[in-house]
């Protein structure tokens, strides 16, 4: 019971312990190499003490000193190699941990899905994924080895000093604990401040990214100066938080240096008096004086790297919260012996059977039932909040229904392997997302391999071939994030080319001709008509004038289908579809949208 309580009280420390277990062998090797380097220091110091004693006290010639000098050189070379190997192994372990954590975090974000991340600041998440994970490097590469070396090296020095001079060894023994004691005492306060600093940094990163993305809107509404003042305030908060951490860090360093210096001075005074009164020979006294700084050096190094532990704990707390965030799970039917597969040439039939879905306290779908025949072109319409997007999210596998069943060719959707099912889907939203990279990379997104001929055909059928050939480097032309450097129509047609490359059997559209002029809209519509051939198509429509060619229209309201039929049939009925259509008539020539 006590163990579980401690774990719950220190989730960040528990998280770091789990990561440490993954790289236990390389970290242990780095500690062993560091400890061996400490033993070499003891040997090198003994050689140096003998050289000075032989040269100054015994007045020996250079030839007699050469064995000691060659031994010092050999030990020095071995030490350099040992320290280098220790550094490389430690940083290799840290790099492995960072790679594993980033991979796990990306996988976790993918499992959570875009809906679960809707209330998350992209800037804060980016800061965690980059700066947060990066702050773990010094913890594994510096702090962990330093913490163990701070135990073994001083202990080895004590074992050498006790037989030579037990009084100096007692000074070492009683003063050494003062350094970690004050380090921990001061470090507890610094840890709390460091966590506050990390929270301010995350907030600043998220806010700054929001401002950059909305800079055009801020300029148009003359609100940029207000945001500048707010960024100044957040930056000042971050500066003050950083200075509070640094103040304690410098205080900690001062305490460490003070106690180490005073301890060395005490040893030097004791040795000096005994040398003066002839109670100790020069070789022993000089050897102990040379070892005194080396005795406290590992402890001082541990104190120096203690701030790496604080940074790691602050980041680990946020990482732990993400990794323990529950996944959206729903009751699922028993898995079949063999997961269903869709023939390469078959368009799927889809059935929603009394499907209900809620987001927290908000009910999105309530007993929704409809079916789509294989190869049928269906349009979903309805006022905002009717549940149209929820239908798309369910088919894309972003969420699972609270109740009811979704069947694909008669098989429950849960029986499909999610990756296999998504390979059957092509999704074209209002504003497709292009990523930073070449035109070719954006078209072949998610495909293991694609030939030039396939890309050429996709560009040809999507109506993109002409403008792509006019780009400076053709398919190898780099486009910015979100299609920077291309027009809206060009981005939309590249999205159609990307959908064409997938050769999917189910096509999901979310008003892909929205925000386009009439000429570009016609070009995109022509490309979509070619893409729809032989596929089951589900279109979320906002402008009713764009779905006149649909086989059937499903009118949704309150999470249910309240009307369905062909466009001409629904226009003649005195229902919701007719009300929506009439509300758009005054602005239809301008592409009015549903409200």
């Amino acid at each position: 019971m006590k163990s579980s309580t401690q774990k719950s009280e220190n989730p960040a420390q528990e998280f770091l312990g789990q990561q440490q277990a993954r790289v236990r062998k390389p970290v242990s090797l780095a500690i062993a190499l560091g400890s061996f380097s400490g033993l070499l220091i003891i040997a090198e110091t003994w050689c140096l003490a003998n050289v000075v004693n032989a040269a100054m006290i015994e007045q020996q010639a250079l030839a007699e000193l050469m064995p000691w000098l060659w031994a010092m050189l050999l030990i020095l070379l071995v030490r350099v190699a040992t320290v280098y190997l220790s550094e490389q192994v430690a940083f290799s372990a840290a790099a492995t941990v960072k790679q594993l954590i980033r991979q796990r975090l990306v996988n976790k974000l993918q499992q959570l899905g875009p809906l679960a991340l809707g209330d998350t600041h992209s800037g804060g998440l980016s800061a965690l994924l980059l700066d947060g994970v990066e702050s773990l490097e010094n913890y594994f590469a510096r702090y962990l080895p330093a913490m163990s070396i701070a135990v073994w090296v001083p202990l080895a020095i004590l074992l050498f000093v006790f037989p030579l001079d037990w009084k100096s060894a007692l000074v070492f023994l009683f003063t050494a604990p003062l350094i970690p004691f004050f380090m921990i005492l001061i470090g507890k306060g610094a840890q709390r401040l460091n966590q506050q600093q990390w929270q301010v940094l995350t907030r600043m990163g998220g806010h700054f990214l929001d401002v950059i993305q909305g800079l055009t809107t801020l300029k148009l509404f003359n609100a940029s100066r207000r945001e500048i003042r707010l960024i100044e305030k957040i930056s000042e908060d971050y500066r003050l938080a950083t200075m509070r951490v640094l103040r304690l860090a410098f205080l900690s360093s001062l305490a460490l240096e003070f106690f180490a210096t005073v301890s060395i001075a005490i040893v030097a005074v004791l040795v000096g008096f005994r040398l003066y009164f002839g109670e100790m020979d020069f070789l022993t006294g000089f050897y102990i004086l040379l070892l005194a700084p080396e005795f406290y050096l590992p402890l001082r190094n541990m104190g120096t790297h203690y701030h790496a532990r604080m940074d790691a704990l602050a980041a680990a707390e946020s990482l732990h919260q993400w990794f323990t965030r529950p996944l959206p799970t729903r009751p699922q039917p028993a898995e079949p012996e063999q997961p269903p597969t869709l023939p390469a040439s078959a368009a799927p039939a889809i059935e929603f059977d009394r499907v209900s879905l809620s987001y927290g306290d908000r009910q999105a779908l309530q007993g929704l039932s409809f079916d789509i025949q294989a190869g049928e072109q269906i349009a979903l319409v309805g006022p905002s909040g009717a549940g149209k997007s929820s239908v798309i999210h369910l088919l894309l596998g972003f969420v699972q229904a609270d109740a009811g069943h979704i069947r694909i060719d008669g098989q429950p959707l849960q029986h499909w392997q999610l990756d296999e099912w998504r390979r059957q889907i092509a999704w074209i939203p209002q504003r497709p997302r292009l990523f930073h990279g070449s035109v070719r990379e954006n078209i072949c997104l998610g495909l293991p391999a694609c030939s030039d001929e396939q890309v050429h055909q996709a560009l040809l059928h999507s109506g993109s071939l002409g403008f792509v050939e006019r780009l400076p480097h053709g398919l190898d032309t780099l486009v910015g994030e979100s299609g920077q450097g291309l027009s809206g129509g060009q981005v939309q047609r590249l999205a159609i080319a990307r959908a064409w490359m997938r050769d999917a059997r189910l096509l999901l559209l979310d008003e892909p001709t929205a925000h386009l002029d009439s000429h570009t809209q016609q070009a995109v519509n022509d490309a979509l008509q070619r893409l729809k051939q032989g596929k089951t198509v589900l279109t979320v429509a906002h402008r009713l004038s764009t779905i006149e060619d649909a086989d059937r229209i499903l009118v949704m309201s309150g999470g249910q289908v309240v009307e369905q039929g062909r466009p001409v049939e629904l226009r003649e009925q005195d229902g919701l579809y007719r009300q929506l259509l009439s509300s758009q008539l005054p602005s239809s020539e301008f592409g009015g949208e549903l409200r």
Side-chain angles (χ1 to χ4, degrees), residues 530-570:
R530 293 189 291 269
L531 181 62
K532 290 177 182 179
Q533 298 303 315
K535 296 176 176 61
T536 300
V537 182
L538 181 61
T539 304
V540 174
H542 303 275
R543 293 184 296 181
L544 304 186
S545 60
T546 63
I547 54 173
E548 290 297 312
D549 59 342
D551 296 329
R552 200 155 40 101
I553 295 176
L554 305 180
V555 185
M556 295 187 64
S557 179
Q560 297 177 327
V561 174
V562 296
E563 291 180 300
Q564 59 177 303
R566 295 184 60 80
V568 63
E569 298 171 351
L570 294 176

Side-chain angles (χ1 to χ4, degrees), residues 15 22 45 49 83 121 141 145 160 255 258 269 321 340 357 361 376 388 409 574 586:
F15 174 80
R22 298 173 185 271
T45 304
V83 171
H121 274 297
F160 277 89
F258 174 77
V269 170
Q321 292 174 358
L357 175 66
D361 297 331
E376 194 175 16
K388 305 184 296 295
D409 288 338
D574 187 17

Side-chain angles (χ1 to χ4, degrees), residues 487-525:
S487 69
Q490 290 172 337
V491 171
Q492 201 68 272
R493 277 178 279 181
L494 287 180
I496 295 174
R498 184 160 61 192
W500 192 280
M501 287 291 296
R502 292 183 69 85
D503 193 26
R505 300 295 94 193
L506 173 61
L507 183 59
L508 302 179
L509 306 175
D510 184 4
E511 195 69 85
T513 58
H515 317 295
L516 302 179
D517 59 79
S518 57
H519 175 73
T520 305
Q521 178 181 334
Q522 185 58 47
V524 172
N525 275 330

